[in-house]
Amino acid sequence: MMHKHILSLLSLFTVIALLSSCGAQRKDGGYSSGSSNTTTAPSGPSASQWRNGVKGTWVLNSVTRQDIPQSYTVKNIFDEAPVDCFIGSVWHLPTGNYKGSISFNASGTLCATGAVRTIIWSIHNPGNGGEPEFQFKKLYAGDKASNVTTGYRLGLSFADGNSLTMKMPVDLDNGSRGYLIFNFSKQN
């Protein structure tokens, strides 16, 4: 009897350890292009698994387009700067109070090389079968996070110990939607 009880406890701890150590991995893109049924359970990782997969320090290596014509101009992202200014930026996403930063390294006419933007980040869990999203809001000197009412959300596509991929929806002039794909690598 005692032997079965110990085996049951060991099995339970093993399952818990496996589930809590799993990073977030999903390669379908984070946003579906077709219709979605919100009554079904999410097919990807949970919000806490994404939080564990996203935390750390990341370098934005590239931003690619999905369903956005090359002729379409994306003037700026996050109400901050052109896409090119974000290439090479370092996103520090620590645990704890989720106060992080984005450090800019790109040079260009509209880029602020060396600038550091303080952010508060989290994983938004929409519930009702919706997929978790990365969200952040920018904090300027003197701001309290609770007083900042605007922010940004990105679809979570993939995260492991070495790479992170997120998608930003872009509404196009013709009424359709495309995405900017953010490709990060872990900084050691």
Side-chain angles (χ1 to χ4, degrees):
M1 177 75 172
M2 183 67 148
H3 187 272
K4 286 183 182 179
H5 196 280
I6 291 172
L7 285 176
S8 295
L9 283 175
L10 286 174
S11 297
L12 178 64
F13 287 132
T14 302
V15 168
I16 290 172
L18 285 173
L19 289 175
S20 65
S21 67
C22 291
Q25 295 189 20
R26 188 176 89 199
K27 293 190 183 221
D28 69 355
Y31 285 95
S32 61
S33 56
S35 64
S36 64
N37 183 352
T38 58
T39 60
T40 60
S43 60
S46 69
S48 63
Q49 288 170 317
W50 276 116
R51 191 174 303 109
N52 288 334
V54 167
K55 67 183 177 185
T57 302
W58 301 92
V59 176
L60 181 58
N61 296 314
S62 66
V63 177
T64 57
R65 296 168 175 239
Q66 177 184 327
D67 300 327
I68 300 175
Q70 287 302 323
S71 61
Y72 187 84
T73 302
V74 178
K75 292 182 182 173
N76 71 45
I77 56 174
F78 311 127
D79 300 314
E80 184 83 33
V83 173
D84 291 345
C85 293
F86 281 84
I87 305 300
S89 62
V90 177
W91 296 48
H92 182 62
L93 306 173
T95 57
N97 66 1
Y98 301 100
K99 187 175 186 178
S101 63
I102 301 172
S103 301
F104 295 89
N105 297 315
S107 58
T109 55
L110 299 174
C111 301
T113 304
V116 177
R117 179 71 60 229
T118 301
I119 63 171
I120 296 293
W121 73 275
S122 64
I123 302 298
H124 171 69
N125 188 358
N128 296 328
E131 296 290 342
E133 298 173 295
F134 175 83
Q135 67 181 7
F136 73 96
K137 51 187 173 180
K138 299 185 286 188
L139 294 181
Y140 295 95
D143 283 346
K144 289 185 178 184
S146 59
N147 294 337
V148 178
T149 58
T150 58
Y152 311 91
R153 287 193 180 146
L154 301 171
L156 294 160
S157 298
F158 180 80
D160 66 9
N162 299 314
S163 61
L164 170 64
T165 305
M166 295 191 278
K167 293 176 84 165
M168 183 178 96
V170 176
D171 292 325
L172 305 175
D173 295 335
N174 64 4
S176 64
R177 176 175 275 182
Y179 298 92
L180 292 176
I181 312 297
F182 293 77
N183 301 296
F184 296 87
S185 61
K186 191 86 170 228
Q187 185 179 51
N188 294 325

